[in-house]
Amino acid sequence: MNKLLLIILNCCLGSLFMGFCLGQMNVISTEVYNVYKIDDTFTKGLMQSLLTIGGGVGSISASILMGLFSRRKCLQITDVFGMMAIMIAFMDESRYLLLASRFFVGLVLGLNGVLVPVYINEMSPKEKAGILGTMNQLFITLGILTTFLMSSFSDASLPIPFYKLMLYLPMIPCIIRASALSTVFKYETPVYCAKHHLNQQLHKVVEMIYEEKAEKMYEQFQQSQKSTERSMTINQLLSSKYRSRLIIGISLASLQQLGGINGIMFYSSSIFDQVTGQAAKKVFYLNLIVGFIGVFTALLATVIIEQFGRKPILKYGTLWCCVSLLMLTFVMSNSIGDTSYGSYLIVICIFSYLFGFGFSLGPLLFIYLTEILPDLGVSASSLMNWMSGGLVAQMFPIIASYDISYCFGIFSIFNFAAYLIIQQKVIETKGLDRESVDKYFENQKFDQMPYQEVYQEDRFR
């Protein structure tokens, strides 16, 4: 298990890459705009939207890549793309190359957004899938936190400009992960080995993961070869076998972003500027707290996910987000928000929302999607996730220019919609194998919960 944990942590370096790239522009945008002579709002908007467009392309490309290469090779190819995407920005100090770099970095983010959860899910024993799955979100939040911590060196004397350092740094996790996958962690996932009848490799990886239970698990994976499809077509994904859960996956993936997380993360500095009266030191510390909340809640999710299961945490966490945003809307829509007391309330509501998101929809969404959907379904859901994030990034400043409280009111509505879907359609997948999940969705018995879901609901209350 210790070696498995190291393999998972190495895989999650792709998530660290994601978090760092998502947060870096919050720190260096002013310097980048000056160096690359970007002074129009359209191009500034492209800096964020191209990242999300690239993410959407990358997420849907992940299923194609997984159809052509093994899981391990897909991760290695993604790391090579990551290094190349970063280098494009330094071929010349051209705004067009920088924008191209942002698109290709986004493509790598989209690939990692699908490949990392799939790899973790296929590598993990089902009793540990939840705990190990939360490592993905933990490393994303660590990447974001790192960008906030790095901002304290912006005025330090460095051998290269600070903005270049920040743009170069994401290459490090790419280099480390690709190297480790080529040398010490040369394992394919058991699911992949079973699909492609790689029995020798299957025996090796099962021994590493399950130790004394290896022979029993090896037989189970061999038996699964007969029922496992080599690839999934769009027609199969849209068939009655997968249609209902695909709708659930796409809906929750879209609502995760439409619920406001990127609206707050992309523009947290602007919001804190208004609240603090542009006090740079206070804004720095508030952003730092945002990063620490993300890390703390991701760690919290690793503790509670195996105690309470998926559905209760998703449901009550999303409701928490909804209530926090409603309170934020109320405070910002009247005169209370203009007082010093109101400023504290605004910050508390934002932190409360981030806390609720950080242990529910943040870490659990893609754990759940990999448990109910095939690779192509996860990619399709991820595509909608990125497109919804891009829509929020583009529309947030436009709506906020009229009244920023409208944004949070809309976000609360989307969170409530996610709560209703989770309440009515999401089943508890903790401890269930893929065959059990398939049978449950095929029977369409959404008025009856599996026995362990009833148990988990009672425990959560």
Side-chain angles (χ1 to χ4, degrees), residues 160-176:
I160 62 173
F162 177 71
Y163 81 93
K164 282 193 175 182
L165 176 66
M166 291 293 288
L167 290 174
Y168 270 128
L169 276 177
M171 283 199 295
I172 295 176
C174 294
I175 294 169
I176 294 173

Side-chain angles (χ1 to χ4, degrees), residues 182-357:
S182 301
T183 52
V184 292
F185 299 139
K186 298 168 69 173
Y187 293 98
E188 299 297 346
T189 69
V191 174
Y192 177 84
C193 293
K195 280 183 179 180
H196 295 82
H197 305 280
L198 304 174
N199 292 332
Q200 188 174 355
Q201 290 188 47
L202 176 61
H203 198 279
K204 182 181 177 183
V205 72
V206 166
E207 279 188 336
M208 183 272 296
I209 296 173
Y210 295 97
E211 298 173 348
E212 67 274 5
K213 298 180 181 178
E215 287 303 319
K216 179 182 177 181
M217 295 307 302
Y218 178 71
E219 291 176 7
Q220 287 187 19
F221 279 113
Q222 277 195 316
Q223 290 173 2
S224 72
Q225 290 176 353
K226 299 175 183 178
S227 60
T228 305
E229 297 173 350
R230 275 182 169 272
S231 59
M232 171 70 60
T233 65
I234 293 177
N235 286 338
Q236 288 173 324
L237 185 64
L238 297 176
S239 68
S240 59
K241 180 178 180 180
Y242 293 106
R243 190 183 303 127
S244 61
R245 59 186 114 168
L246 177 64
I247 293 171
I248 294 171
I250 288 176
S251 299
L252 290 181
S254 301
L255 289 169
Q256 187 210 49
Q257 292 297 324
L258 294 174
I261 184 60
N262 274 342
I264 290 177
M265 292 305 297
F266 284 166
Y267 300 102
S268 62
S269 295
S270 300
I271 296 170
F272 293 148
D273 266 341
Q274 293 179 21
V275 169
T276 62
Q278 297 184 332
K281 197 87 170 178
K282 291 181 180 179
V283 172
F284 168 75
Y285 287 121
L286 288 173
N287 278 327
L288 211 57
I289 294 172
V290 167
F292 278 116
I293 288 174
V295 173
F296 172 76
T297 51
L299 288 171
L300 177 65
T302 65
V303 176
I304 65 176
I305 185 173
E306 293 306 328
Q307 285 187 299
F308 302 112
R310 280 55 158 166
K311 179 171 180 174
I313 300 173
L314 282 171
K315 185 170 73 170
Y316 294 114
T318 304
L319 188 60
W320 183 316
C321 291
C322 179
V323 172
S324 299
L325 289 169
L326 282 174
M327 292 172 61
L328 183 59
T329 303
F330 173 76
V331 173
M332 299 191 78
S333 62
N334 58 60
S335 58
I336 297 175
D338 298 327
T339 65
S340 58
Y341 173 72
S343 297
Y344 287 117
L345 285 178
I346 289 171
V347 172
I348 290 170
C349 289
I350 290 174
F351 287 168
S352 176
Y353 164 78
L354 292 173
F355 183 85
F357 180 88

Side-chain angles (χ1 to χ4, degrees), residues 94-142:
S94 161
R95 67 165 66 183
Y96 302 109
L97 288 177
L98 177 63
L99 292 172
S101 174
R102 292 291 284 175
F103 171 79
F104 288 113
V105 166
L107 189 146
V108 175
L109 300 189
L111 288 171
N112 273 313
V114 175
L115 294 173
V116 172
V118 168
Y119 186 88
I120 294 173
N121 178 264
E122 292 187 0
M123 267 291 188
S124 305
K126 64 181 180 181
E127 66 273 11
K128 297 291 183 182
I131 293 175
L132 294 175
T134 58
M135 295 293 107
N136 177 38
Q137 182 68 16
L138 174 61
F139 272 67
I140 291 175
T141 57
L142 283 172

